[in-house]
Amino acid sequence: MENKSADWDPRSEAVLKDQLATYDDMRRRCPVATSRYGYTSLFRHADVMHVLMDHETYSNAVSRFPSVPNGMDPPEHTAYRRLIEPYFEPQQMEAFAPVCREVAVRLVQALPEQADVELMADFAQIFALQIQCAWLGWPVELHEPLRLWTLKNQAATLARDEAAMSAVALEFDGYIKDLLTARRNAGSAAPDDVTTRLLRDQALGRPLTDDEIVSILRNWTVGELGTIAASIGILVHYLAGHAALQQQLREQPALLPAAIDEILRIHAPLVMNRRVTTREVTLGERTLAAGTRLALIWASANRDEAVFGDPDEFRLDREPQLNLLYGAGIHVCPGAPLARLELRVVMEELLGRTRRMALLADQQPVKAFFPASGFSSLPLHIEKAENATPHG
């Protein structure tokens, strides 16, 4: 239901022209703002952090679909969270790192030696898809159906077409249930991968149901495909516009983890996340009734001058706990270690195997539409290095 007397319209042409500038303005002018779409948006770091640290007042149970564990509150959330966290432990990331490196190397090597490319379609989206399938143990034959599914999902979300979103969700469920059936039929010969491990997981004292596994994998896949591709686009765009930093990171790849988090603080790959109030609250001198739907605008909170000073100043010595790139509180992103591994490796290979990445003067990037972030198209000139720097 749309609110006609709203403080802002996140989908308006003016906002979409420059989302970050709009968020900066809203943070100063109207930090707790109603939108046309039934959400009250929070723009300040302090307000977002307050919500993240009070899960009893601000519930995560906002989705129309089962959402394990993202859309749950304690105590239900606690048990599922305990189940999924081991999948992202350091030893799991260490075991996956060589596979991640192999995918990154193959795709960087496939880029032309010296040419203009469209980075999003030619590289970022392909990497996100292939790396997610590799981590989950999904077959190569699923790459193209999942690519098309991602496009349909984005179109349905952008159009706010609930019927289309439901159809897309059912299509994804079908892919997963086919994979589960194949693994059950294979018995002890089933591949030893994340999907099979979920099928056999007994952390709840019982096997997970198919619906629970589908929900977990949907959450991981939808989040991963969109944000990893967006993050690569944002990182490369920033470095292409900052040649000195680009070269510094080539020469000092150990700085990459901090640099990646800082660039993605400046330009968030994920615009917002949702909550709903369980009681009447006051935020920014505005009283909100129980049941008020909230949009936590990460892309604004991580640029708050009260916390970061000049939001566009690139610094490698930021306090990591202030950066809300992966959230905070009990719902902090469990997949952060995987995302950090994938982004570090892909940027090491991109920088190590090129000598120059530059924006094109005659072709402008196309910004992604809300609720997406980053770029839907990123024309780029790439020059490969004669002697690639090996990593890993």
Side-chain angles (χ1 to χ4, degrees), residues 97-98 101 105 344-345 348-349 353 389-392:
R101 180 80 58 187
V105 169
R344 174 180 61 79
V345 167
E348 283 176 352
E349 295 304 331
R353 295 174 185 275
T389 303
H391 290 283

Side-chain angles (χ1 to χ4, degrees), residues 122-247:
D122 294 347
F123 183 84
Q125 293 165 1
I126 298 172
F127 175 82
L129 180 63
Q130 292 192 10
I131 206 69
Q132 180 68 358
C133 287
W135 183 62
L136 294 173
W138 292 356
V140 171
E141 293 77 26
L142 206 50
H143 287 178
E144 183 61 12
L146 270 181
R147 187 186 71 82
L148 296 175
W149 176 84
T150 302
L151 295 175
K152 285 185 280 189
N153 186 54
Q154 291 171 344
T157 303
L158 184 61
R160 297 167 56 231
D161 184 335
E162 293 191 0
M165 285 190 281
S166 296
V168 169
L170 283 173
E171 180 181 341
F172 184 86
D173 294 1
Y175 293 138
I176 304 306
K177 289 180 178 178
D178 287 346
L179 291 168
L180 298 181
T181 297
R183 280 160 171 72
R184 284 196 180 97
N185 291 340
S188 61
D192 182 18
D193 55 33
V194 170
T195 303
T196 300
R197 285 176 56 204
L198 281 171
L199 193 62
R200 297 171 178 170
D201 201 308
Q202 294 277 344
L204 296 180
R206 59 166 177 82
L208 290 165
T209 67
D210 281 7
D211 286 343
E212 287 170 328
I213 296 174
V214 166
S215 181
I216 290 169
L217 292 175
R218 186 195 301 118
N219 280 328
W220 287 352
T221 304
V222 172
E224 187 82 354
L225 293 180
T227 55
I228 290 297
S231 294
I232 293 170
I234 291 166
L235 292 167
V236 172
H237 177 266
Y238 191 90
L239 294 180
H242 296 80
L245 177 61
Q246 182 184 146
Q247 189 57 32

Side-chain angles (χ1 to χ4, degrees), residues 48-341:
V48 170
M49 186 64 84
H50 167 75
V51 169
L52 296 176
M53 295 303 170
D54 185 357
H55 60 267
E56 294 181 354
T57 302
Y58 305 98
S59 170
N60 247 50
V62 295
S63 176
R64 295 186 302 112
F65 303 103
S67 184
V68 181
N70 309 44
M72 295 175 168
D73 299 316
E76 188 180 28
H77 167 268
T78 307
Y80 285 106
R81 181 76 186 213
R82 193 179 299 123
L83 179 147
I84 67 172
E85 283 182 341
Y87 290 85
F88 303 99
E89 287 178 345
Q91 59 266 37
Q92 302 299 330
M93 299 301 96
E94 184 178 348
F96 181 61
V99 179
C100 184
R101 180 80 58 187
E102 181 184 339
V103 173
V105 169
R106 183 176 69 248
L107 292 178
V108 174
Q109 287 178 334
L111 291 170
E113 292 297 317
Q114 182 170 329
D116 299 344
V117 300
E118 200 292 277
L119 190 85
M120 299 310 297
D122 294 347
F123 183 84
Q125 293 165 1
I126 298 172
F127 175 82
L129 180 63
Q130 292 192 10
I131 206 69
Q132 180 68 358
C133 287
W135 183 62
L136 294 173
W138 292 356
V140 171
E141 293 77 26
L142 206 50
H143 287 178
E144 183 61 12
L146 270 181
R147 187 186 71 82
L148 296 175
W149 176 84
T150 302
L151 295 175
K152 285 185 280 189
N153 186 54
Q154 291 171 344
T157 303
L158 184 61
R160 297 167 56 231
D161 184 335
E162 293 191 0
M165 285 190 281
S166 296
V168 169
L170 283 173
E171 180 181 341
F172 184 86
D173 294 1
Y175 293 138
I176 304 306
K177 289 180 178 178
D178 287 346
L179 291 168
L180 298 181
T181 297
R183 280 160 171 72
R184 284 196 180 97
N185 291 340
S188 61
D192 182 18
D193 55 33
V194 170
T195 303
T196 300
R197 285 176 56 204
L198 281 171
L199 193 62
R200 297 171 178 170
D201 201 308
Q202 294 277 344
L204 296 180
R206 59 166 177 82
L208 290 165
T209 67
D210 281 7
D211 286 343
E212 287 170 328
I213 296 174
V214 166
S215 181
I216 290 169
L217 292 175
R218 186 195 301 118
N219 280 328
W220 287 352
T221 304
V222 172
E224 187 82 354
L225 293 180
T227 55
I228 290 297
S231 294
I232 293 170
I234 291 166
L235 292 167
V236 172
H237 177 266
Y238 191 90
L239 294 180
H242 296 80
L245 177 61
Q246 182 184 146
Q247 189 57 32
Q248 181 184 12
L249 295 178
R250 273 196 189 90
E251 296 168 0
Q252 299 175 274
L255 298 177
L256 266 171
I260 289 169
D261 278 11
E262 174 68 350
I263 293 168
L264 298 180
R265 178 200 64 77
I266 294 170
H267 187 169
L270 181 65
V271 171
M272 57 160 280
N273 204 234
R274 299 178 295 167
R275 297 291 191 276
V276 61
T277 59
T278 61
R279 62 177 177 83
E280 183 178 280
V281 297
T282 300
L283 287 171
E285 301 181 356
R286 179 165 270 177
T287 300
L288 307 176
T292 298
R293 294 186 295 170
L294 301 177
L296 313 184
I297 310 295
W298 309 116
S300 172
N302 256 356
R303 294 175 55 81
D304 193 331
E305 298 86 351
V307 176
F308 301 104
D310 178 356
D312 290 308
E313 181 187 8
F314 176 89
R315 285 176 46 187
L316 290 173
D317 61 347
R318 301 277 188 192
E319 171 52 56
Q321 297 302 317
L322 296 176
N323 190 334
L324 297 178
L325 175 60
Y326 295 103
I330 67 167
H331 291 288
V332 65
C333 178
L338 178 63
R340 284 193 163 107
L341 167 68

